[in-house]
């Protein structure tokens, strides 16, 4: 074999190796681009999810103009509030006490229990621990609570005194083992000092809640 023949074979071999390397490099590029695009898409999705998260304490639907506010120490009022929210297609806001009420606190037989002392002192204003609610955009607000010692829990007074209900229709509702709503609705209206307060109603899990809500003729 001549020198020229060897040179041609070596040159051809080098050309084949370079061509194979070039094809391999080109084939790997789309995989890197696809990975970058996937990371970007995931980041965008995470950002969208974060921006859509609630920031005002309301469990929310931006389209709703009705809000159900409730305080529930044992879960009974919460159950009724959920049914009202479903019937009214409403958002909800739960008033949570900064210092939760224990079973001993709720003992109405005990003259020294926390709730007995609170209900005997109309000036008491228990602190609310849940995030501040946003009432902006709501035209109708249901406000629910249990009846304690014939009246609204003092934490409800804390709530209504903390907000402006001007231009809003407010409907109180209560739950109770036997007592009616009594003067609790008018007490709250007086303490709020604003809003168009309607007559309230005592409700239970067996009540025709949907019929009651629709019968109010306040939903738009």
């Amino acid at each position: 074999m001549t020198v020229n023949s060897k040179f041609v074979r070596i040159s051809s071999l080098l050309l084949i190796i370079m061509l194979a390397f070039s094809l391999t490099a080109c084939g790997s590029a789309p995989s890197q681009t696809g990975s970058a695009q996937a990371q970007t898409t995931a980041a965008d999705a995470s950002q969208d999810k974060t921006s859509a998260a609630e920031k005002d304490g309301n469990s929310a639907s931006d389209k709703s103009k009705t809000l159900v506010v409730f305080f529930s120490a044992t879960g009974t009022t919460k159950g009724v509030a959920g049914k009202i929210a479903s019937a009214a297609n409403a958002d909800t806001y739960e008033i949570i006490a900064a210092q939760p009420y224990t079973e001993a606190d709720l003992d109405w037989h005990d003259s020294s229990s926390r709730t007995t002392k609170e209900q005997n002192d109309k000036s008491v204003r228990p602190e609310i621990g849940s995030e501040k609610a946003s009432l902006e955009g709501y035209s109708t607000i249901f406000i629910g609570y249990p009846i304690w010692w014939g009246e609204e829990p003092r934490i409800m007074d804390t709530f209504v005194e903390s907000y402006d209900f001007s231009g809003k229709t407010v409907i109180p509702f209560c739950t109770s083992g036997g007592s009616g709503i009594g003067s609790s609705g008018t007490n709250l209206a007086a303490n709020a000092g604003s809003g168009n307060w309607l007559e309230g109603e005592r409700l239970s899990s067996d009540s025709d809640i949907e019929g009651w809500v629709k019968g109010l003729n306040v939903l738009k």
Side-chain angles (χ1 to χ4, degrees):
M1 181 181 296
T2 64
V3 175
N4 287 339
S5 297
K6 289 181 178 180
F7 179 79
V8 170
R9 290 185 63 187
I10 293 172
S11 297
S12 298
L13 181 60
L14 288 175
L15 182 60
I16 290 171
I17 293 173
M18 291 177 65
L19 181 59
F21 179 83
S22 176
L23 290 174
T24 301
C26 291
S28 64
S31 176
Q32 294 172 353
T33 303
S35 176
Q37 289 175 342
Q39 292 174 1
T40 301
T41 301
D44 290 344
S46 177
Q47 184 175 4
D48 291 343
K49 184 176 181 180
T50 301
S51 63
E54 296 171 35
K55 298 178 181 179
D56 60 8
N58 296 7
S59 78
S61 164
D62 291 340
K63 297 180 181 179
S64 179
K65 293 185 178 179
T66 304
L67 177 66
V68 179
V69 174
F70 66 92
F71 167 69
S72 185
T74 63
T76 301
T77 307
K78 183 173 185 176
V80 172
K83 291 185 176 182
I84 293 175
S86 179
N89 190 28
D91 299 336
T92 60
Y93 171 80
E94 182 174 8
I95 299 171
I96 299 175
Q99 180 185 347
Y101 289 89
T102 66
E103 186 175 349
D105 291 337
L106 300 173
D107 186 0
W108 61 276
H109 294 288
D110 183 359
S111 60
S112 64
S113 71
R114 175 185 171 190
T115 48
T116 300
K117 291 178 178 179
E118 288 181 355
Q119 294 306 111
N120 285 333
D121 185 353
K122 293 184 181 294
S123 68
V124 170
R125 295 295 181 267
E127 183 181 355
I128 295 174
S130 42
E131 292 183 38
K132 191 173 179 63
S134 173
L135 304 188
E136 184 178 356
Y138 295 108
S139 57
T140 303
I141 301 176
F142 291 86
I143 293 184
Y145 47 89
I147 290 294
W148 287 356
W149 288 254
E151 296 184 333
E152 75 283 359
R154 300 297 173 224
I155 197 169
M156 299 306 300
D157 299 317
T158 305
F159 177 82
V160 299
E161 291 174 357
S162 303
Y163 294 88
D164 182 6
F165 296 91
S166 298
K168 303 181 188 300
T169 297
V170 187
I171 306 102
F173 67 94
C174 74
T175 58
S176 170
S179 302
I181 196 166
S183 62
S184 62
T186 54
N187 291 344
L188 290 173
N191 288 334
S194 60
N196 174 33
W197 288 71
L198 303 186
E199 184 177 355
E201 184 75 21
R202 173 181 173 270
L203 300 170
S204 71
S205 58
D206 296 327
S207 300
D208 179 11
I209 292 176
E210 184 174 0
W212 175 70
V213 169
K214 291 181 178 179
L216 294 169
N217 295 319
V218 295
L219 303 181
K220 299 178 181 179

